[in-house]
Amino acid sequence: MTIDMKVKKIKNGTVIDHITAGQALNVLKILGITKEYPKTTVTVAMNVPSGKLGFKDIVKVEGRELEAEELDKISLIAPDATINIIRDYEVVEKKTVSLPEILEGVLECDNPNCITHFEAAKSQFIVEEKNPIKLRCVYCERSMDEEGVVKQF
Ligand code: CTP
Ligand code: ZN
């Protein structure tokens, strides 16, 4: 038996697989899945054995396909995630998330004096490290780590 059989297949929706272990709840936050979320079935699996000695989280969302901005945010905390679009029980599309070298407009700079808060400029961060994430504001050079990123979701 494979591990996947522990978690039911879905009919229509999205399976976010290979999420960095421990990040499933942040993925739910990115997707806006909270107590108030309409009646969509969501399955979360955490610390599932994956490959040699590794672990992963999985999130399955019924009846929903994800938007580009949601994928960008997921790439910040789960750079190896794979996005599987499911229609009528079949995987019809498989995508990976990709973290750009420069992240534009997705997050705000933590520095209250940063010019991006005063001018109509889009925020810009250089991605210095990918896993765990480390960003640096192009304008004021303030750095932001995973904790600062997740606070904004
Ligand atoms: N899945 C699902 N419901 C379906 C079809 C697939 O929940 N109706 C899940 C599988 O359990 C798996 C993921 O979607 O977690 C990807 O499915 P599939 O491509 O069949 O699995 P793998 O070949 O293992 O994919 P990969 O090696 O690319 O991760
Ligand atoms: Zn800044």
Side-chain angles (χ1 to χ4, degrees):
M1 164 178 143
T2 66
I3 281 299
D4 274 346
M5 293 175 76
K6 283 189 187 165
V7 187
K8 254 178 79 178
K9 302 244 167 219
I10 65 170
K11 182 162 193 245
N12 289 297
T14 304
V15 174
I16 309 158
D17 200 353
H18 305 110
I19 298 168
T20 309
Q23 295 292 2
L25 298 178
N26 283 328
V27 169
L28 296 183
K29 230 169 143 191
I30 290 167
L31 303 181
I33 295 168
T34 61
K35 226 168 49 176
E36 289 78 32
Y37 194 69
K39 295 188 183 66
T40 297
T41 304
V42 176
T43 314
V44 178
M46 292 167 75
N47 293 318
V48 178
S50 166
K52 1 177 172 57
L53 303 173
F55 292 88
K56 66 176 180 181
D57 290 355
I58 308 170
V59 171
K60 303 189 183 195
V61 189
E62 305 259 4
R64 174 159 161 198
E65 297 184 7
L66 308 188
E67 286 157 23
E69 194 182 316
E70 293 171 322
L71 298 181
D72 285 348
K73 288 182 177 172
I74 290 170
S75 76
L76 294 168
I77 51 151
D80 302 319
T82 50
I83 312 295
N84 300 274
I85 311 292
I86 314 293
R87 293 195 194 129
D88 205 17
Y89 290 105
E90 297 293 326
V91 178
V92 295
E93 196 185 339
K94 210 179 257 289
K95 303 188 257 199
T96 52
V97 295
S98 70
L99 192 50
E101 275 167 36
I102 296 197
L103 185 75
E104 249 190 10
V106 178
L107 298 169
E108 284 181 20
C109 182
D110 263 349
N111 174 4
N113 298 318
C114 179
I115 191 164
T116 53
H117 300 301
F118 304 101
E119 308 268 319
K122 260 194 188 169
S123 71
Q124 275 195 3
F125 296 91
I126 295 173
V127 178
E128 289 190 336
E129 276 160 46
K130 295 200 168 189
N131 199 6
I133 192 79
K134 195 171 157 221
L135 304 172
R136 191 169 298 282
C137 177
V138 169
Y139 294 93
C140 72
E141 302 194 331
R142 173 79 62 105
S143 78
M144 184 148 62
D145 62 9
E146 185 181 292
E147 195 188 337
V149 167
V150 167
K151 264 197 324 219
Q152 297 193 28
F153 292 160

